[in-house]
Amino acid sequence: MLGDRAYSAWYSNGVVAIDVSNPLDPVRVGQFVPDTSNRHANSLGVGPAEVWGVAIDPATGIIYLSDMRTGLWIVRPTGQ
């Protein structure tokens, strides 16, 4: 979590940012999905991203996500 934003790995839907400023009404405010890749198709089959881990650096706001097909992604949120 970073401020009022929570980040969650969501497998083929990548990573999502959720505004939790009102915990009774969370709102999805962002999403990043890595491109589809045939990498590791022999073991995972051909298909979309498989994001299964996310970490946030609170000092920089940079988000690190792990995709089973394409590896580590380092992204910076562009929204407010």
Side-chain angles (χ1 to χ4, degrees):
M1 196 153 143
L2 185 61
D4 288 336
R5 298 269 167 88
Y7 295 89
S8 178
W10 202 5
Y11 289 93
S12 62
N13 290 296
V15 61
V16 294
I18 303 166
D19 182 336
V20 292
S21 57
N22 178 355
L24 298 176
D25 186 27
V27 177
R28 183 173 52 171
V29 294
Q31 183 171 9
F32 173 77
V33 182
D35 290 335
T36 297
S37 172
N38 290 333
R39 185 173 181 196
H40 302 298
N42 59 340
S43 61
L44 296 173
V46 176
E50 293 291 335
V51 176
W52 63 305
V54 62
I56 302 114
D57 180 350
T60 64
I62 292 174
I63 300 170
Y64 299 88
L65 55 128
S66 175
D67 174 27
M68 286 189 259
R69 294 184 190 282
T70 58
L72 176 67
W73 287 80
I74 302 170
V75 297
R76 181 181 308 273
T78 57
Q80 302 255 353

